[in-house]
């Protein structure tokens, strides 16, 4: 089993975009499922010790995932993903935002536009993500909130799911 998975995390201030490229030791269909099925997303999307809990999810163009990140003390931070484009097993796009438990936008926080690409190479699956923000200050707010650290921990949680599957 590989232990040094590729993870490139770069910030492009010119375009207000975070780019993440991540390698997984799993098949493309398994990685696609992990990113697009609520039951699997809930196992890894939040950085431990937090948990993700999906309230509703319709993975289709025009569909939405409404979910909470639930902290160790039971605190909840709600978010939505509004799916704008889906090309099975290769790409999906969505608008991400913080919201309340009913899906009403929290306008104190910026929305981001996610473009998630999947490819397979030499037995690994690569996920290339571009997360575009409207303006640099929005990008800086998310980075300041610990996005890089939290997302890195979440990716490690997904690695653990694939490792368990191979046992």
């Amino acid at each position: 089993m590989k232990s040094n998975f590729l993870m490139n995390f770069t910030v492009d201030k010119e375009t207000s975009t975070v780019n993440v490229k991540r390698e997984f030791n799993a098949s493309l269909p398994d990685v696609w499922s992990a990113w697009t099925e609520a039951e699997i997303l809930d196992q890894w999307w939040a950085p431990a010790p937090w948990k993700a809990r999906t309230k509703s999810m319709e993975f289709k163009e025009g569909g939405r995932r409404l979910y909470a990140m639930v902290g160790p003390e039971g605190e909840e931070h709600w978010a939505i993903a509004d799916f704008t484009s889906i090309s099975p097993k290769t790409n999906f796009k969505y608008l991400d935002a913080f919201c309340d438990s009913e899906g009403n936008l929290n306008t104190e926080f910026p929305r981001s536009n996610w473009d998630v690409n999947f490819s397979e190479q030499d037995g690994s699956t690569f996920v290339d993500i571009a997360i575009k923000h409207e303006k640099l200050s929005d990008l800086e707010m998310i980075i300041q909130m610990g996005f890089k650290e939290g997302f890195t921990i979440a990716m490690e949680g997904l690695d653990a799911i694939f490792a368990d599957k191979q046992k």
Side-chain angles (χ1 to χ4, degrees):
M1 193 170 109
K2 295 180 187 169
S3 57
N4 297 320
F5 297 110
L6 170 76
M7 173 134 174
N8 289 337
F9 188 104
T10 57
V11 175
D12 183 342
K13 291 186 175 188
E14 298 281 312
T15 61
S16 303
T17 303
V18 171
N19 293 289
V20 180
K21 182 169 187 169
R22 186 62 159 74
E23 175 185 8
F24 294 99
N25 187 23
S27 71
L28 193 146
D30 285 348
V31 175
W32 176 263
S33 293
W35 281 78
T36 61
E37 296 174 18
E39 309 75 51
I40 307 173
L41 276 164
D42 283 353
Q43 295 175 45
W44 69 271
W45 186 250
W50 290 67
K51 301 281 184 210
R53 187 179 69 238
T54 300
K55 183 174 181 178
S56 61
M57 182 163 166
E58 202 174 4
F59 186 69
K60 67 174 193 176
E61 287 184 22
R64 168 179 277 188
R65 177 184 182 214
L66 173 61
Y67 65 98
M69 301 264 218
V70 183
E73 308 297 318
E75 65 273 35
E76 296 178 340
H77 295 281
W78 287 88
I80 52 171
D82 287 323
F83 301 107
T84 57
S85 168
I86 298 171
S87 300
K89 306 265 192 301
T90 58
N91 172 276
F92 67 91
K93 298 175 182 168
Y94 66 95
L95 289 170
D96 184 67
F98 289 104
C99 63
D100 66 15
S101 62
E102 300 307 309
N104 299 303
L105 288 186
N106 179 340
T107 55
E108 291 176 30
F109 293 95
R111 288 202 91 171
S112 54
N113 195 338
W114 288 57
D115 185 352
V116 187
N117 289 284
F118 298 79
S119 61
E120 220 169 3
Q121 187 182 336
D122 300 328
S124 290
T125 299
F126 292 86
V127 181
D128 270 298
I129 311 155
I131 308 161
K132 176 112 177 81
H133 294 85
E134 201 172 291
K135 53 191 189 278
L136 183 57
S137 59
D138 292 349
L139 168 67
E140 289 171 338
M141 177 192 287
I142 296 302
I143 296 296
Q144 196 130 40
M145 289 169 63
F147 176 75
K148 179 179 182 179
E149 297 79 5
F151 199 60
T152 300
I153 293 167
M155 295 291 100
E156 291 165 355
L158 184 50
D159 286 334
I161 290 170
F162 294 138
D164 286 348
K165 202 172 180 183
Q166 291 177 350
K167 288 182 181 169

